[in-house]
Amino acid sequence: MGFSVDAAPWVGAVARVELTVTDADTAQSLGSGDVPVLGTPKVLALAEAATVGALVRRLPPGWTTVGTRVELEHRAPTPIGGKVTVEARLAKADGRKLVFEILARDGGQVVAEGRVERVLVERHRFLEKALGSA
């Protein structure tokens, strides 16, 4: 029943995701604003996808991570057609808590940065608890 995954060796793991912004990715389409530029909810989704990607080959069978906290500064707009690369780097592993540093770039310009915290969980136990025993 005890926790049995040591994530400390994973510190430094990196993954990147890329997106060419379409109308569907804009603040207008996502309901987070009324301008036709990359919406913050999409930046967050890309950041989380990158954190998942950084660990996909490291997690033992039966384990996963879930997001628990986000700090995101969306600093510059990216227009439709712009290409954004979001990088997540595992900066810290403290027991079950994993802290990722996020950096999003449009070419050489940083458009967003922040941190995403995830927690290691046993998938089966997590889902049992989430779905209840009803």
Side-chain angles (χ1 to χ4, degrees):
M1 173 131 179
F3 180 73
S4 62
V5 175
D6 178 12
W10 305 343
V11 170
V14 174
R16 290 173 194 84
V17 295
E18 292 185 351
L19 173 76
T20 299
V21 179
T22 68
D23 182 63
D25 305 313
T26 65
Q28 279 178 325
S29 294
L30 296 169
S32 66
D34 64 1
V35 289
V37 297
L38 179 63
T40 303
K42 187 64 176 191
V43 175
L44 174 56
L46 294 168
E48 291 211 288
T51 65
V52 169
L55 300 182
V56 71
R57 286 181 234 102
R58 291 174 170 83
L59 290 170
W63 288 83
T64 191
T65 63
V66 294
T68 56
R69 181 181 170 100
V70 175
E71 296 174 27
L72 185 65
E73 181 181 356
H74 195 171
R75 297 172 24 178
T78 304
I80 293 172
K83 186 174 186 179
V84 175
T85 302
V86 180
E87 178 180 287
R89 184 182 69 81
L90 181 59
K92 182 179 178 184
D94 183 8
R96 297 186 327 131
K97 184 170 99 171
L98 307 173
V99 179
F100 292 85
E101 293 177 349
I102 305 300
L103 196 58
R105 289 188 172 95
D106 178 358
Q109 181 182 22
V110 173
V111 296
E113 62 183 317
R115 294 168 26 126
V116 173
E117 292 181 10
R118 299 186 72 81
V119 172
L120 282 160
V121 297
E122 289 182 85
R123 183 187 316 268
H124 178 74
R125 288 180 59 201
F126 177 81
L127 288 174
E128 267 186 356
K129 186 175 179 182
L131 302 175
S133 307

